């Protein structure tokens, strides 16, 4: 009966010793690299900013080159996500009021930024094509920028 506590004590000591050896084996440069990597991940992590119902208010562009191409799409709502490093992503709920078999194209939707510019997404991720009157979620990716996204702009027929 006295052997069992002794074995538990030895097992605990061996476990602690191996952990201590692994801890001291790490070089200071490795620890700095871990810290740098952690900071980079934190700066690239997307954070929820806000939800907008519909397209919200966006000033109408004066220049035709800033206006999106006409379409039969309608934005129901969208969530804006940002990162400290300047990544800008929107998760939008969009309805297609046109025929079936179409996709939302970057030139059909623009974001209005806090620096008073209009930009189209560099990439749109959507699952398959829209059917007629279908509502689905799409993800809009924008170029990295210091300017915040204030709203989305579409132009209907």
């Amino acid at each position: 009966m006295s052997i069992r506590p002794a074995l538990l004590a030895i097992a605990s000591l061996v476990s602690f010793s191996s952990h201590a050896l692994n801890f001291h084996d790490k070089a200071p440069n490795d620890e700095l690299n871990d810290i740098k990597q952690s900071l980079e991940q934190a700066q690239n992590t997307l954070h929820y900013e806000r939800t907008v119902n519909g397209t919200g208010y966006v000033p109408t562009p004066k220049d035709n080159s800033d206006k999106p191409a006409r379409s039969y799409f309608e934005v129901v709502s969208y969530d804006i996500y940002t990162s400290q490093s300047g990544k800008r992503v929107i998760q939008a709920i969009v309805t297609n009021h046109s025929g079936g078999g179409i996709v939302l194209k970057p030139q059909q939707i623009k974001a209005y930024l806090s620096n008073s510019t209009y930009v189209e997404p560099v990439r749109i991720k959507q699952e398959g094509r829209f059917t007629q009157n279908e509502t689905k979620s799409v993800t809009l990716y924008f170029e990295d920028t210091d300017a915040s996204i204030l709203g989305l702009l579409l132009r209907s027929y």
Side-chain angles (χ1 to χ4, degrees):
M1 294 249 187
S2 63
I3 292 180
R4 187 172 179 189
L7 287 175
L8 287 173
I10 291 172
S12 296
L13 186 60
V14 168
S15 174
F16 177 75
S17 298
S18 67
H19 174 70
L21 286 173
N22 286 339
F23 180 75
H24 288 295
D25 285 346
K26 208 168 203 183
N29 284 340
D30 290 343
E31 290 177 16
L32 286 176
N33 287 336
D34 288 348
I35 292 170
K36 286 179 185 176
Q37 187 177 22
S38 177
L39 287 172
E40 287 174 8
Q41 286 175 345
Q43 288 184 346
N44 287 325
T45 301
L46 290 171
H47 301 281
Y48 168 79
E49 193 172 299
R50 71 181 180 284
T51 297
V52 178
N53 290 324
T55 55
Y57 172 73
V58 175
T60 304
K62 293 177 182 148
D63 190 358
N64 279 339
S65 66
D66 289 332
K67 294 179 182 177
R70 292 190 184 272
S71 71
Y72 290 104
F73 289 104
E74 172 191 7
V75 174
V76 177
S77 67
Y78 57 93
D79 298 329
I80 301 172
Y81 296 89
T82 62
S83 75
Q84 290 177 346
S85 64
K87 291 187 186 317
R88 304 289 183 251
V89 176
I90 291 181
Q91 186 71 39
I93 305 298
V94 178
T95 300
N96 166 37
H97 294 294
S98 180
I102 61 173
V103 296
L104 179 64
K105 298 174 185 155
Q107 61 269 24
Q108 294 173 322
I109 190 165
K110 292 205 176 186
Y112 179 64
L113 304 180
S114 60
N115 63 3
S116 299
T117 60
Y118 298 86
V119 295
E120 62 187 42
V122 292
R123 183 169 66 104
I124 297 176
K125 180 181 173 189
Q126 68 183 49
E127 297 296 323
R129 297 177 174 274
F130 280 89
T131 60
Q132 187 172 15
N133 293 320
E134 180 180 21
T135 299
K136 66 168 53 181
S137 176
V138 296
T139 307
L140 310 169
Y141 297 90
F142 296 90
E143 287 185 5
D144 291 2
T145 178
D146 290 336
S148 298
I149 294 176
L150 300 179
L152 284 179
L153 182 66
L154 287 160
R155 229 171 48 157
S156 299
Y157 281 106

